[in-house]
Amino acid sequence: GNLLGDKGLIDFARAVGASSDIKALILAGNRMGGSGTEESMEAVKCLCGGITANASLMRVDLNGNFFSDDHVREFLPMLAGKPELKQFRLSPARMSRQLSEEMANIISKHNTKKKKGGGKKKKKKKK
């Protein structure tokens, strides 16, 4: 990773929100969230804002960072309101099982395609 840390994430997140071309955001192993300070919570809030503002983003990888349950609770409403985000990776070892399952359920719903037109079409019989 680039070792952005919490302070670097705040500035980076603003840039993510201003871009319309980023489809994948890979910030794995950047030592974010570990401080447990107001700065780390602010960084997560900025990241959520950046992800929400970026209409083209479909994949986010935050594995290998140090986000706590408090941080993850900030991500959940953003995830629920961003159905175009098909993949959101965050190390489950760093969060409670309940939050891990909530996050997985949200992303699973994003990846479930609804059938248009009410299902299968019937084949016409040949004469």
Side-chain angles (χ1 to χ4, degrees):
N2 295 312
L3 306 180
L4 288 173
D6 295 325
K7 187 173 182 349
L9 179 58
I10 292 171
D11 294 330
F12 188 80
R14 290 184 180 128
V16 168
S19 173
S20 61
D21 296 325
I22 299 172
K23 298 204 182 316
L25 182 61
I26 301 172
L27 294 171
N30 273 280
R31 296 187 183 175
M32 299 178 294
S35 64
T37 63
E38 284 185 33
E39 185 176 58
S40 71
M41 289 303 292
E42 181 64 24
V44 168
K45 289 177 184 178
C46 285
L47 182 58
C48 287
I51 291 170
T52 299
N54 185 309
S56 63
L57 196 58
M58 297 177 65
R59 180 175 164 232
V60 175
D61 185 346
L62 298 172
N63 272 337
N65 289 293
F66 307 107
F67 296 115
S68 68
D69 279 0
D70 289 336
H71 295 113
V72 174
R73 284 186 192 94
E74 290 292 325
F75 287 123
L76 291 176
M78 177 273 302
L79 288 172
K82 189 141 175 84
E84 62 274 15
L85 192 61
K86 303 299 182 191
Q87 185 181 45
F88 189 83
R89 297 182 67 202
L90 188 62
S91 304
R94 307 228 186 267
M95 71 182 99
S96 70
R97 184 180 179 130
Q98 178 188 357
L99 288 176
S100 179
E101 288 173 358
E102 282 183 51
M103 193 173 68
N105 286 337
I106 291 170
I107 295 298
S108 176
K109 287 178 186 174
H110 293 186
N111 289 307
T112 303
K113 294 182 180 179
K114 293 182 180 179
K115 290 183 181 179
K116 293 182 181 179
K120 294 181 179 180
K121 292 183 180 180
K122 293 182 182 180
K123 291 185 179 181
K124 291 182 181 180
K125 292 183 180 181
K126 292 183 181 179
K127 291 184 180 183

